[in-house]
């Protein structure tokens, strides 16, 4: 099973920050996704779908996604607005007032959960959401679960963007996920950088953003002393591909764009390729 992840699209209209750039960057990512072989079974967009959460921005995004040969499954981020999203995309994704749902396949279950806390940059998770997630996690332990949320529920090292392990919402999410060994992978966005680490016994990864990336600086930041560090950088848009194989999820991090092919697999390469598989039979 192959699951593609795009995140932090920050689609805007008019004078929204990055409106033109982010539209261009999303087109680059979608064009790259169309070329993946084999094509992903699922494409998930892990939040910050729009810059301001406005209805016109969701309409623009909907139009862009509808032109794709695959469906893109949404998730809420801190830049999103549930009401406006619902107005444009409909009610289908909502339960208990949150954008949360389960995608079932023979191989795995994908749970999309909601960490949006309106007015807050960081994440949120409440008893209502925890009860819903607990019910989904308990419903079936025979198949692995991939959990998709916007905010990484742990310290990521990017001081001005990160959550901390002792935040109440993080602790509630930990408590909810911890008893369930079959949660094999958590995928997030929000940090606008690729990151890979552990969340208790579960692998957790953050994908690079569609929109501009966050500069890599792991030193503490002083809100009263600007140090000139690059906060946001014009690195290319990225996405991730998660492959369920041999009992584990494996994540590949990709950069979107058109790149010169240095070595195509043409006839001159067949001898070398046969040698590879002679030494390492499949
Ligand atoms: Fe974002
Ligand atoms: Fe975010």
């Amino acid at each position: 099973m192959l699951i593609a992840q795009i995140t932090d699209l920050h689609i805007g209209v008019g004078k929204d920050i990055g409106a033109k750039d982010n539209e261009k960057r999303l087109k680059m990512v979608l064009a790259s996704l169309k070329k993946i072989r084999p094509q992903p079974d699922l494409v998930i967009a892990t939040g910050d779908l729009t810059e301001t959460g406005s209805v016109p921005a969701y309409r623009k995004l909907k139009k862009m996604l509808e032109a794709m040969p695959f469906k893109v499954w949404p998730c809420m981020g801190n830049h999103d607005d549930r009401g406006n999203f619902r107005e444009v995309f409909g009610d289908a994704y909502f339960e208990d007032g949150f954008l949360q749902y389960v995608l079932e396949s023979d191989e795995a279950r994908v749970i999309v959960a909601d960490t949006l806390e309106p007015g807050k940059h960081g994440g949120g998770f409440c008893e209502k959401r925890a009860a819903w997630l607990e019910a989904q996690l308990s419903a079936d332990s025979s198949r692995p679960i991939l959990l998709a949320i916007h905010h990484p529920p742990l310290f990521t090292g990017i001081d001005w963007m990160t959550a901390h392990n002792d935040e109440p919402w993080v602790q509630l999410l930990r408590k909810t996920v911890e008893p369930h060994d079959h949660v094999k992978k958590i995928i997030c966005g929000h940090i606008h950088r690729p990151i890979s680490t552990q969340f208790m016994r579960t692998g957790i990864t953050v994908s690079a953003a569609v929109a501009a990336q966050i500069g890599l600086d792991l030193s503490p930041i002083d809100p009263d002393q600007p140090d000139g560090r690059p906060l946001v950088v014009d690195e290319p848009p990225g996405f991730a591909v998660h492959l369920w194989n041999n009992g584990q999820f494996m994540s590949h991090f990709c950069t979107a764009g058109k790149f010169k092919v240095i070595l195509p697999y043409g006839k001159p390469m067949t001898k070398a390729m046969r040698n590879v598989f002679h030494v390492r039979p499949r």
Side-chain angles (χ1 to χ4, degrees), residues 8 10 47-48 77-79 121 150-151 161 189-192:
D8 295 85
H10 289 261
D48 283 358
N78 50 295
H79 281 255
H121 176 255
H150 179 67
H151 295 86
M161 294 292 290
H190 185 64
I191 308 293
H192 292 225

Side-chain angles (χ1 to χ4, degrees), residues 48-75:
D48 283 358
L49 306 174
T50 58
E51 175 62 20
T52 65
S54 71
V55 166
Y58 285 122
R59 285 210 182 102
K60 180 176 173 181
L61 174 64
K62 192 177 184 199
K63 212 169 155 192
M64 290 179 78
L65 297 183
E66 279 176 352
M68 291 299 112
F70 41 73
K71 181 173 171 62
V72 178
W73 295 91
C75 173

